[in-house]
Each structure stands twice: as C-alpha cells, then as structure tokens.
Amino acid sequence: AALRALESRSASKVMASGRTSLPFTAADLQRLEPTMSDQEIAGFVELCKRWLGERGRQIEWEKIQLPDQETVIPYSTMQRCSDDAARRLLWKLDIVKVNGGLGTTMGCLGSKSVMEVRDGQKFLDITIEQVEHLNNTYGCNVPLILMNSFDSHEDTESILKSRYSDCNVGLLSFMQSEYPRVW
C-alpha cells in the first residue's frame, strides 16, 4: 500500500517537474515492498529510468484511425477450414490467459478468475471447459497457460490442484512480476 502511494505520487511529480531522475531509490522500494527480490528491484528501477529517458515519445492520438473496410474481414465471409487443417493448426497453438485481476471494480473481493459466475462455475472453470472442448473436439492438446498476479496466484493454484488434476488440458501457471505500476 505504501508503494502504491509512492508510485502514483512519484510518477505525477516526475511528469509535472520534467525530472530526468527517479524520485525514489532502490532502498525505498526494498523498505516498502520487502517481497521484491534485489533482481526485481533492479529491473524495475532500470525500466523507470528508461521510461524517463523516453518520456518525449508519446502516442499521437489524432493519427490513430480505424482500419479500412478491406483490412477487416467479417467472420461470416471467412472460409471454414477442414477439421484436419484445424487439427494441424491447433497442435501449434498455446493459449496464454492474463489471469491476474481482482474483482474490486465489480464490487467483489478476491480474484476474478475464482469468482462464481454461473451455476456454481467460476470464470476459470468456464475457460478450462472451453479449452477442454476444443481438445476433445479436434483430438489435440492445446495447453492453457495462466499468467497470475501475486494477488491471484495462490487461489488459482489451489483450484487447479483440487479440481483439474485429470482434465484434458495441459494447465500451466506462473506468477507475473511484482513491478509496481508507473503512470
């Protein structure tokens, strides 16, 4: 919590003042976020320094345009590939799901992926069922790789171990970095 306050206060000060150096040190981070390793702290500080050095490069929103009609192909006009072609392509596919959000914006406590959403099912259950259906339909083994936040990792691991040890989906999960957000 202390780092969250530091990061938003520091980022706005940096942007307003035109500073080119960080308003906090690695020691500040270690004190406020003792779970971050020295390597993570060094990486975060390096990314912040790079961000400060590139601050002048901003997105020119007025140049952003919708793609033209020829670029976007309506799904209804696409040719369906054969089951054999689909199977060959699916053997090359891995699904990586960003699985880190908390349900706070929805007024809930805990990870969104483990919230009950329909008939006792959680978001994670529905995702795994969809991939399992794909694997069973095409006789393939598309793995589901879950990138968890430090807030969702423990809940996700618990559900995977208790409910999905024998499903037809290769389930892998890892915890993303704990770098704080820089605005």
Side-chain angles (χ1 to χ4, degrees), residues 114 124 152-164 173:
V114 299
L124 185 57
S152 67
H153 188 68
E154 197 173 297
D155 289 341
T156 300
E157 286 295 304
S158 175
I159 287 179
L160 292 179
K161 287 177 184 158
S162 67
R163 297 172 79 157
Y164 292 104
S173 70

Side-chain angles (χ1 to χ4, degrees), residues 4 19 48 73 99 124 130 148 152-153 163 182-183:
R4 304 294 182 247
R19 287 180 71 144
C48 287
I73 302 168
N99 192 51
L124 185 57
Q130 290 171 335
N148 303 315
S152 67
H153 188 68
R163 297 172 79 157
V182 175
W183 300 95

